[in-house]
């Protein structure tokens, strides 16, 4: 697994590298002392899984770098590292996965890595189905939602649309505990792609809006709240 560490202070890079090596010996770790150099290293970022990024650096700040990297490489888990607690809200805005204080790294690092690796493992889960278009293997994380259309169920992913003659109840059961919520009988939604839920309507990150029945609304809202709390 490839991991990047970006900090303009060598002693802070060394601390993170040492913690990573103690946690797991097989990581491929690349260091950067400049966020601009990091952002332009596309060959490494394309396969990088985790990025430890200092917020306060000379030149381009860590927050600017995080925003740029997330827009180009959305699957990278960015962990913002800083000496100042007041950047937590900014970290949320740039879609950082975690926020760590430098003074607490020895106490918080291992738990942070445990959580991030668990999330990566979940993202890499795959399912195989015999679709009308032929057998296909899909990353669970790439499925945006499944919609019933007459006698078929349609899988909408980030790159394709596939149809299958399977009951929605069966699909819901097979994808149980993988981050999906049944809105009503016609929709099974990957909660990763929910942008907001309000006034009995759900808006996805794709812009699609789906009505949520009043009878289902409290349960759907609760499931989504619990899901967001584990991210």
């Amino acid at each position: 697994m490839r991991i990047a560490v970006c900090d303009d202070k060598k002693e802070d890079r060394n601390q993170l590298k040492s913690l990573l090596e103690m946690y797991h010996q097989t990581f491929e770790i690349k260091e950067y002392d400049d966020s601009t150099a990091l952002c332009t290293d596309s060959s490494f970022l394309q396969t990088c899984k985790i990025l430890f990024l200092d917020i306060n650096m000379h030149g381009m700040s860590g927050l600017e770098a995080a925003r740029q990297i997330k827009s180009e490489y959305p699957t990278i888990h960015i962990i913002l590292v800083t000496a100042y607690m007041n950047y937590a809200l900014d970290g949320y805005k740039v879609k950082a996965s975690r926020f760590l204080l430098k003074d607490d790294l020895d106490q918080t690092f291992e738990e942070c890595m445990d959580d991030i690796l668990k999330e990566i493992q979940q993202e890499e889960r795959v399912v195989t189905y015999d679709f009308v278009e032929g057998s296909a293997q899909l990353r669970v994380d790439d499925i945006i939602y499944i919609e019933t259309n007459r006698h078929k169920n349609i899988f909408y992913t980030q790159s394709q649309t596939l149809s299958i003659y399977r009951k929605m109840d069966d699909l819901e059961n097979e994808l149980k505990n993988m981050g999906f919520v049944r809105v009503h009988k016609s929709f099974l939604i990957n909660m990763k792609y929910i942008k907001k839920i309000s006034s009995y309507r759900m808006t996805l990150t794709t812009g699609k809006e789906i009505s949520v029945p009043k009878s289902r609304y409290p349960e759907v809202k609760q499931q989504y709240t619990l899901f967001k709390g584990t991210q």
Side-chain angles (χ1 to χ4, degrees), residues 52 108 110 220 222:
F52 288 89
T108 59
E110 185 172 347
V220 170
Q222 181 185 37

Side-chain angles (χ1 to χ4, degrees), residues 187-198:
F187 282 96
L188 186 62
I189 310 295
N190 187 337
M191 289 186 281
K192 172 187 173 181
Y193 295 97
I194 297 176
K195 185 176 182 179
K196 67 176 181 178
I197 302 175
S198 63

Side-chain angles (χ1 to χ4, degrees), residues 73-121:
Y73 311 96
T75 62
I76 294 180
H77 288 263
I78 297 178
I79 302 169
L80 293 174
V81 186
T82 184
Y84 305 101
M85 190 63 176
N86 58 331
Y87 285 107
L89 180 59
D90 293 311
Y92 174 78
K93 290 178 180 177
V94 298
K95 301 178 181 178
S97 297
R98 294 291 186 282
F99 182 92
L100 296 179
L101 288 173
K102 291 188 175 183
D103 289 342
D104 296 334
L105 278 178
D106 288 338
Q107 292 74 42
T108 59
F109 180 85
E110 185 172 347
E111 182 180 356
C112 174
M113 284 298 296
D114 288 346
D115 291 343
I116 292 295
L117 292 178
K118 182 179 178 181
E119 290 177 19
I120 291 173
Q121 185 178 39

Side-chain angles (χ1 to χ4, degrees), residues 73-211:
Y73 311 96
T75 62
I76 294 180
H77 288 263
I78 297 178
I79 302 169
L80 293 174
V81 186
T82 184
Y84 305 101
M85 190 63 176
N86 58 331
Y87 285 107
L89 180 59
D90 293 311
Y92 174 78
K93 290 178 180 177
V94 298
K95 301 178 181 178
S97 297
R98 294 291 186 282
F99 182 92
L100 296 179
L101 288 173
K102 291 188 175 183
D103 289 342
D104 296 334
L105 278 178
D106 288 338
Q107 292 74 42
T108 59
F109 180 85
E110 185 172 347
E111 182 180 356
C112 174
M113 284 298 296
D114 288 346
D115 291 343
I116 292 295
L117 292 178
K118 182 179 178 181
E119 290 177 19
I120 291 173
Q121 185 178 39
Q122 291 175 340
E123 291 167 357
E124 294 180 346
R125 291 175 300 187
V126 296
V127 290
T128 303
Y129 288 111
D130 291 323
F131 294 100
V132 173
E133 297 80 3
S135 180
Q137 190 177 72
L138 300 177
R139 289 177 69 251
V140 172
D141 218 44
D142 288 340
I143 302 170
I144 302 172
Y145 66 95
I146 305 170
E147 179 183 9
T148 300
N149 187 339
R150 296 183 181 180
H151 300 296
K152 293 185 293 186
N153 279 299
I154 314 300
F155 281 63
Y156 292 88
T157 77
Q158 299 191 60
S159 60
Q160 60 186 328
T161 301
L162 299 165
S163 55
I164 191 171
Y165 287 104
R166 292 286 304 277
K167 292 180 179 179
M168 182 67 88
D169 288 345
D170 293 339
L171 295 173
E172 179 185 13
N173 187 58
E174 290 166 9
L175 294 170
K176 189 176 182 180
N177 300 323
M178 295 190 187
F180 287 79
V181 62
R182 183 80 173 268
V183 177
H184 49 69
K185 65 179 182 180
S186 298
F187 282 96
L188 186 62
I189 310 295
N190 187 337
M191 289 186 281
K192 172 187 173 181
Y193 295 97
I194 297 176
K195 185 176 182 179
K196 67 176 181 178
I197 302 175
S198 63
S199 304
Y200 305 105
R201 295 196 70 79
M202 174 185 293
T203 304
L204 304 185
T205 56
T206 60
K208 183 177 180 62
E209 292 191 352
I210 300 168
S211 61

Side-chain angles (χ1 to χ4, degrees), residues 208-222:
K208 183 177 180 62
E209 292 191 352
I210 300 168
S211 61
V212 183
K214 289 185 179 180
S215 61
R216 291 278 301 160
Y217 190 78
E219 183 179 347
V220 170
K221 193 76 180 286
Q222 181 185 37

